[in-house]
Amino acid sequence: MARRSMTFRASEFEGRADRLQRQMAECDLAAILLTTPADIFYVTGFLTRFWESPTRPWFVVVPRAGDPVAVIPSIGADLMGQTWIDDIRTWDSPDPDDDGVTLLADTLAELTGPGAAIGLPSGPETHVRMPRADLFRLEDAIAPRRLVDATAAVQRVREIKSAAEIDKIRAACDVAGRAFDRVPHFVHAGMPIGDVFGAFQIALLEAGAGWVGYIAGAAGQGGYGNVISAAATGPLVPGDVLMLDTGVVRDGYYCDFDRNFAVGPASADAGRAHHALWRATEEALTGIRPGMRACDMHAMLARSITRHGAEPAGGRLGHGVGVALTEWPSFTARDETVLREGMVLAIEPGAVVAPGRILVHEENVVLRADGCELLSPRAPAELPELSA
Amino acid sequence: MARRSMTFRASEFEGRADRLQRQMAECDLAAILLTTPADIFYVTGFLTRFWESPTRPWFVVVPRAGDPVAVIPSIGADLMGQTWIDDIRTWDSPDPDDDGVTLLADTLAELTGPGAAIGLPSGPETHVRMPRADLFRLEDAIAPRRLVDATAAVQRVREIKSAAEIDKIRAACDVAGRAFDRVPHFVHAGMPIGDVFGAFQIALLEAGAGWVGYIAGAAGQGGYGNVISAAATGPLVPGDVLMLDTGVVRDGYYCDFDRNFAVGPASADAGRAHHALWRATEEALTGIRPGMRACDMHAMLARSITRHGAEPAGGRLGHGVGVALTEWPSFTARDETVLREGMVLAIEPGAVVAPGRILVHEENVVLRADGCELLSPRAPAELPELSA
């Protein structure tokens, strides 16, 4: 079959495995066990939306030396066989008696010595995508080997994007940008918000989205109550600010940025908040540098929003983007992660317009040695107006 | 705000909590802790695609008596406030020092006595969507309370759908059915499979999908290698069988069924396999009854495929559908779950056409006292032909 799902050359994945293995050497890990869609796609290129089915666990083991080994349900063998992974071990899942635990334990025993520390991402922004009871069984089966945290090892590798990865994210940003540009052509006052969602998703697919990994949006008079709504009833009315946020997926890579629109003329408050967010973003785009910490960016954005006459919204004001919609680090007051060249970041300042009413602005950038490069097309300085 | 995200009356959710509480009484659980999108949506109606961001953990506690309590990141407070849940406790996430663990432990301590067994789904088809290290911290913080498995308690409740739930799934099936009907109008030989994916997703949204929760598809000469591909390169060529599978989401509820299409005239082998699958489905639709076990349905389907001259494919031949794309039980040789009235099920027989080449057929039904009711529009008996 010439129809291969691989999105990069094998050398790209070999480089990722090498970098993980260097981290493993530093942390004295004999292997890393991966269970989540983002981690497994990152190492293998295994691209599917079948993760939407919670039924089956999937495992990839990256040994300290040599190529990764996939330990997966047999339903995935054909697709995994189209990636660069050669060593694919399968079982017939779901199996209520032994859903891959013995096969995984045997694989770990083969790849590591009895005293081994096996890394499993267990810290912030991670979870283990397998049944908790099976994880206990696995720990018993691999003893005296033990599972230790590998969050930092995985994060330090994944957070620096290669040129090929940056191209994929730029392509996703381009798709979303073209769809956002068309919004004023098909959204207007009186349109039910559910219809706006449908039409916007169609516009994203027409612009070239592989799929719409994420969509959120909200509308309200002069601002909205939250940025994570999936849909809502009721029509857009004059005076609303409409926010649409999307994570378009292209070849497994996300963008993550939003746009705001005024339905009819914007209120003075909404216009002022939007201006403050746009200016704060402008200053962040100019000021961000490798070596700064995530918390420094939070402080810079919050100060800037305040200086431009708005009140910063709570929560994080930026984050990583890549093979997941959101990745570390987080622009919060408490995240001291050092920003490095090659990180792809969402700069996402938010302002409180009134109690329970916010505005959020977002752009995607890649951090370069001397500053940043925009990946999303820059939002207009003035809030675009939809016909009322 | 009149724009509410709630998809059912509060009485629907109160009924769910009641049923969970009856299970808790039977299993002597003082509370159930839920962490995944499907479980949390089921209990609260909290509908968002923000789960796509792996950054933050979300918790809902169902106490033995009284209403559920949401313990969630503050970014979700406004949207959760639009559900029937009144007791919403938030923290500013992500917090690298304490990402909700103390707040959750305090909540559990308030709602349960010191000797309590707190149920957490830990068995087949579950995972705990929070960092493993934080789960350890939680267990320490709530001691002498302990976490025990609550898989069965949650499954026995979620697997029986209410009339309102069945209506939602039927609506999702209708959307997918209308889009499948249009496929011959926009798919033809020579079309790149990636374009087929894009056009089909647009057709699903035009037909009324809230979003396309799942899409897979594949094409190959006389059959395809797998049923989970997200996309592929290369054009459709005469002799291919194209399979498209989708889980449309409407108000948080999925359908899950596929359709096959021949590109030009079908080969004799493909036609024979399709006929066997269609006949096996027909017999399952006629023969399925409450009281049968999932493994009985597996045996019935496998026997029927064989009798009609094809070789059954490995893996499960059916499963539950609802607030997740796939739910238990699984039509495998090993799943002895008893089928009950009100279960919504995908009947999904597969056949091996040639080594590495399969055909899979799928319909959705709801199990009634005296048989089943189709929710998906029945596939045609003959493989539909796309213009070559």
Side-chain angles (χ1 to χ4, degrees), chain B residues 148-183:
Chain B
V148 301
D149 184 22
T151 305
V154 174
Q155 290 191 347
R156 290 300 82 76
V157 173
R158 266 185 48 193
E159 69 191 15
I160 305 301
K161 271 63 179 178
S162 70
E165 291 187 282
I166 293 164
D167 285 346
K168 299 288 188 193
I169 300 170
R170 187 185 288 110
C173 286
D174 287 348
V175 166
R178 287 198 298 277
F180 277 128
D181 282 348
R182 287 180 51 204
V183 166

Side-chain angles (χ1 to χ4, degrees), chain B:
Chain B
M1 294 279 291
R3 296 164 184 147
R4 293 175 67 81
S5 66
M6 270 189 46
T7 45
F8 298 104
R9 292 166 193 276
S11 59
E12 170 79 17
F13 293 107
E14 286 161 2
R16 297 177 188 185
D18 281 349
R19 288 191 293 280
L20 282 170
Q21 286 168 338
R22 281 203 294 273
Q23 288 287 328
M24 288 155 66
E26 270 185 41
C27 305
D28 202 24
L29 301 174
I32 288 181
L33 170 60
L34 303 172
T35 66
T36 62
D39 284 340
I40 288 180
F41 170 67
Y42 183 76
V43 168
T44 65
F46 181 72
L47 185 60
T48 174
R49 294 187 68 187
F50 196 58
W51 297 102
E52 197 69 21
S53 166
T55 297
R56 300 172 182 86
W58 302 71
F59 309 107
V60 167
V61 180
V62 185
R64 177 80 155 263
D67 290 342
V69 178
V71 181
I72 61 172
S74 46
I75 195 172
D78 178 79
L79 187 62
M80 188 64 85
Q82 297 173 38
T83 72
W84 76 293
I85 303 298
D86 288 325
D87 191 342
I88 301 168
R89 307 173 185 196
T90 66
W91 81 96
D92 196 10
S93 177
D95 180 337
D97 300 319
D98 181 0
D99 215 16
V101 172
T102 300
L103 185 62
L104 176 60
D106 289 349
T107 301
L108 289 168
E110 177 191 320
L111 295 172
T112 68
I118 295 166
L120 177 67
S122 306
E125 310 210 15
T126 74
H127 64 267
V128 182
R129 192 186 175 282
M130 68 182 287
R132 175 171 166 261
D134 282 354
L135 184 56
F136 293 155
R137 281 183 202 113
L138 179 71
E139 295 194 70
D140 286 345
I142 63 173
R145 293 167 191 80
R146 64 197 193 288
L147 297 177
V148 301
D149 184 22
T151 305
V154 174
Q155 290 191 347
R156 290 300 82 76
V157 173
R158 266 185 48 193
E159 69 191 15
I160 305 301
K161 271 63 179 178
S162 70
E165 291 187 282
I166 293 164
D167 285 346
K168 299 288 188 193
I169 300 170
R170 187 185 288 110
C173 286
D174 287 348
V175 166
R178 287 198 298 277
F180 277 128
D181 282 348
R182 287 180 51 204
V183 166
H185 299 295
F186 60 76
V187 178
H188 48 77
M191 194 168 174
I193 297 177
D195 292 356
V196 173
F197 267 66
F200 182 56
Q201 291 178 83
I202 289 170
L204 289 165
L205 288 160
E206 286 175 344
W211 62 80
V212 182
Y214 180 67
I215 180 171
Q221 289 287 297
Y224 29 83
N226 75 79
V227 292
I228 64 169
S229 293
T233 55
L236 289 176
V237 295
D240 274 356
V241 177
L242 168 69
M243 183 278 299
L244 291 169
D245 188 2
T246 190
V248 161
V249 179
R250 288 265 304 183
D251 293 337
Y253 281 79
Y254 287 79
C255 65
D256 179 18
F257 64 100
D258 76 355
R259 288 297 179 256
N260 291 280
F261 304 89
V263 182
S267 69
D269 283 353
R272 194 177 310 117
H274 186 265
H275 178 75
L277 296 177
W278 194 90
R279 292 290 305 167
T281 303
E282 206 65 14
E283 291 171 20
L285 292 173
T286 308
I288 192 169
R289 289 289 180 284
M292 294 171 67
R293 298 167 304 168
C295 54
D296 299 331
M297 285 305 300
H298 181 266
M300 181 200 283
L301 284 161
R303 268 197 316 266
S304 182
I305 295 165
T306 306
R307 198 169 58 245
H308 291 290
E311 178 192 341
R316 65 177 177 178
L317 303 180
H319 57 81
V321 179
V323 294
L325 175 74
T326 77
E327 299 182 351
W328 61 91
S330 294
F331 294 178
T332 66
R334 294 188 186 182
D335 189 327
E336 301 186 352
T337 307
V338 175
L339 305 185
R340 295 189 292 153
E341 191 179 345
M343 281 187 169
V344 172
L345 299 161
I347 295 175
E348 189 178 13
V352 178
V353 183
R357 233 164 265 277
I358 58 176
L359 237 62
V360 174
H361 187 86
E362 194 170 18
E363 302 285 9
N364 296 160
V365 303
V366 55
L367 197 49
R368 303 297 194 186
D370 55 353
C372 78
E373 176 195 335
L374 259 171
L375 296 177
S376 52
R378 184 76 175 101
E382 301 300 320
L383 204 49
E385 195 176 313
L386 304 177
S387 56

Side-chain angles (χ1 to χ4, degrees), chain A:
Chain A
M1 291 283 289
R3 295 161 184 147
R4 293 174 67 80
S5 64
M6 272 190 43
T7 45
F8 297 104
R9 293 167 194 276
S11 59
E12 170 79 18
F13 294 106
E14 287 160 2
R16 296 176 189 186
D18 281 349
R19 288 191 294 278
L20 281 171
Q21 287 168 336
R22 281 202 295 273
Q23 289 287 329
M24 289 155 67
E26 270 185 43
C27 306
D28 202 23
L29 301 174
I32 288 182
L33 170 60
L34 302 172
T35 67
T36 61
D39 284 341
I40 288 181
F41 170 68
Y42 183 76
V43 167
T44 66
F46 181 71
L47 184 60
T48 175
R49 293 186 68 185
F50 197 59
W51 297 102
E52 196 70 19
S53 166
T55 297
R56 300 173 182 85
W58 302 72
F59 308 108
V60 166
V61 181
V62 185
R64 176 79 157 263
D67 289 342
V69 178
V71 181
I72 60 173
S74 45
I75 195 172
D78 178 80
L79 188 61
M80 188 64 86
Q82 297 173 38
T83 72
W84 77 293
I85 303 298
D86 288 326
D87 192 342
I88 301 168
R89 305 172 188 196
T90 67
W91 81 98
D92 195 9
S93 176
D95 181 335
D97 301 318
D98 182 0
D99 216 15
V101 172
T102 300
L103 186 62
L104 176 59
D106 288 350
T107 301
L108 289 168
E110 177 191 318
L111 295 172
T112 67
I118 296 166
L120 177 67
S122 305
E125 309 211 17
T126 74
H127 64 268
V128 181
R129 192 186 176 281
M130 68 182 288
R132 173 169 167 263
D134 282 354
L135 184 56
F136 294 156
R137 283 185 201 109
L138 179 70
E139 295 195 69
D140 285 346
I142 62 172
R145 293 166 190 82
R146 66 196 192 285
L147 298 177
V148 301
D149 184 22
T151 306
V154 173
Q155 290 190 347
R156 289 298 84 75
V157 173
R158 267 185 50 194
E159 70 192 15
I160 304 301
K161 271 62 178 178
S162 70
E165 291 185 283
I166 293 164
D167 284 346
K168 299 287 188 192
I169 299 170
R170 187 185 288 111
C173 287
D174 287 347
V175 166
R178 287 198 297 277
F180 278 127
D181 283 347
R182 287 181 51 203
V183 166
H185 299 295
F186 60 78
V187 178
H188 48 79
M191 193 168 176
I193 297 176
D195 293 357
V196 173
F197 267 65
F200 182 55
Q201 290 178 81
I202 290 170
L204 289 165
L205 288 160
E206 286 174 345
W211 62 78
V212 181
Y214 180 68
I215 179 171
Q221 289 287 298
Y224 28 84
N226 74 79
V227 292
I228 64 169
S229 292
T233 55
L236 289 176
V237 295
D240 275 356
V241 177
L242 167 70
M243 183 278 300
L244 291 169
D245 188 2
T246 190
V248 161
V249 179
R250 287 266 303 186
D251 293 338
Y253 281 79
Y254 287 77
C255 65
D256 178 18
F257 64 100
D258 77 356
R259 288 296 179 257
N260 292 282
F261 304 89
V263 182
S267 70
D269 283 353
R272 192 176 312 116
H274 186 265
H275 178 75
L277 296 177
W278 194 90
R279 292 289 308 166
T281 303
E282 206 64 15
E283 291 172 20
L285 292 172
T286 308
I288 192 170
R289 290 286 182 284
M292 295 170 70
R293 297 166 306 166
C295 53
D296 299 331
M297 285 306 300
H298 180 268
M300 181 199 285
L301 284 161
R303 267 198 316 265
S304 181
I305 294 165
T306 307
R307 197 171 56 246
H308 290 290
E311 177 192 343
R316 64 178 177 178
L317 302 180
H319 57 80
V321 179
V323 295
L325 175 73
T326 76
E327 299 182 351
W328 60 89
S330 294
F331 293 178
T332 66
R334 295 188 184 183
D335 189 329
E336 301 186 352
T337 306
V338 175
L339 305 184
R340 295 188 292 152
E341 189 179 345
M343 281 187 171
V344 172
L345 299 161
I347 295 175
E348 189 178 12
V352 178
V353 182
R357 233 164 265 278
I358 58 175
L359 237 62
V360 174
H361 187 86
E362 194 171 17
E363 303 284 8
N364 295 160
V365 305
V366 55
L367 197 49
R368 303 298 194 186
D370 54 354
C372 77
E373 176 194 337
L374 259 172
L375 296 177
S376 51
R378 183 76 176 103
E382 300 301 319
L383 204 49
E385 194 176 314
L386 304 177
S387 56

